[in-house]
Amino acid sequence: MVAEEAALHPGLSGFVALADGIDALGARLLLIDPVRHRGADLCDVYVQVRPGGDAALALGVLRWLFEKDRVHPQAAQYCDHLDALRERCFERSILEWSALAEIGRAH
């Protein structure tokens, strides 16, 4: 996909290798970054958040994981303060967390 891309933009070479490896596994690659760059073109989905909005995005995603019971059943054994994190996630709706992150439409 992208040997030419890596040659044109040497800073992307590690990302290109990652993207190729993920593609070989049949997985999808998602990039979350305030600034759209050439790496976004290598991804299946690009989500633009406001600078500093990544924490709000993470809390919204975590809320979804808690709501859908997608958190590992033994997570409390290796995550300090998991109950406090869960409470924090539920302080706002997913839409409110998204608004705080100023998420643009995924591309």
Side-chain angles (χ1 to χ4, degrees), residues 2-87:
V2 280
E4 310 83 38
E5 194 76 32
L8 291 173
H9 305 280
L12 283 179
S13 60
F15 187 75
V16 167
L18 174 68
D20 284 343
I22 287 173
D23 190 47
L25 293 172
R28 292 175 37 146
L29 187 60
L30 166 79
L31 175 66
I32 300 168
D33 201 311
V35 179
R36 184 177 178 89
H37 51 77
R38 288 180 116 6
D41 297 333
L42 305 176
C43 297
D44 298 297
V45 178
Y46 166 66
V47 178
Q48 188 171 24
V49 298
R50 74 168 171 78
D54 50 344
L57 175 62
L59 288 165
V61 169
L62 283 167
R63 178 177 171 137
W64 184 89
L65 291 170
F66 283 121
E67 285 179 352
K68 303 297 181 187
D69 200 27
R70 302 296 296 250
V71 176
H72 193 279
Q74 298 169 341
Q77 294 177 6
Y78 52 85
C79 296
D80 293 335
H81 311 290
L82 186 64
D83 289 336
L85 176 61
R86 187 182 201 293
E87 287 177 23

Side-chain angles (χ1 to χ4, degrees), residues 92-105:
R92 292 185 164 87
S93 70
I94 292 173
L95 288 176
E96 290 171 320
W97 286 122
S98 298
L100 284 171
E102 295 181 16
I103 294 173
R105 187 169 167 214

